[in-house]
Every structure is written in structure tokens, then in C-alpha cells.
């Protein structure tokens, strides 16, 4: 999950397109939700 979050950050920081930046932010939100669900399983 941490690696996915890093990749989403990299994508967002290198993007010059607003749509890609928005998608990056959405990905980070979804990754964070997955991380929370995994923690609940533990």
C-alpha cells in the first residue's frame, strides 16, 4: 500500500495536466481507504 501511495504521489507531482492531477488525488484517497481497511483486519 505504501508503494502504491508513493507512485500516486509521483504521478501527481510530475503531472502538468489537471485531469491527471485530479486522478492522482483520487487514487491517494482510495489507497488511504484500503490502508484503513487492512488495519481493521489486523
Amino acid at each position: 500500500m505504501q508503494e502504491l501511495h508513493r507512485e500516486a504521489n509521483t504521478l501527481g507531482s510530475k503531472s502538468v495536466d489537471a485531469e491527471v492531477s485530479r486522478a492522482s488525488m483520487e487514487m491517494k484517497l482510495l489507497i488511504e481507504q484500503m490502508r484503513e481497511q487492512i488495519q481493521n483486519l489486523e
Side-chain angles (χ1 to χ4, degrees):
M1 296 314 297
Q2 188 174 6
E3 186 62 29
L4 287 173
H5 196 264
R6 283 189 197 121
E7 292 297 332
N9 275 336
T10 300
L11 177 66
S13 67
K14 292 184 176 183
S15 171
V16 293
D17 182 53
E19 184 66 21
V20 174
S21 294
R22 185 197 61 75
S24 170
M25 292 299 293
E26 189 174 327
M27 284 173 43
K28 289 193 287 186
L29 177 64
L30 292 172
I31 291 165
E32 186 59 35
Q33 290 173 352
M34 287 188 289
R35 184 184 304 182
E36 290 173 5
Q37 289 178 6
I38 290 168
Q39 287 177 344
N40 287 338
L41 292 175
E42 296 173 346

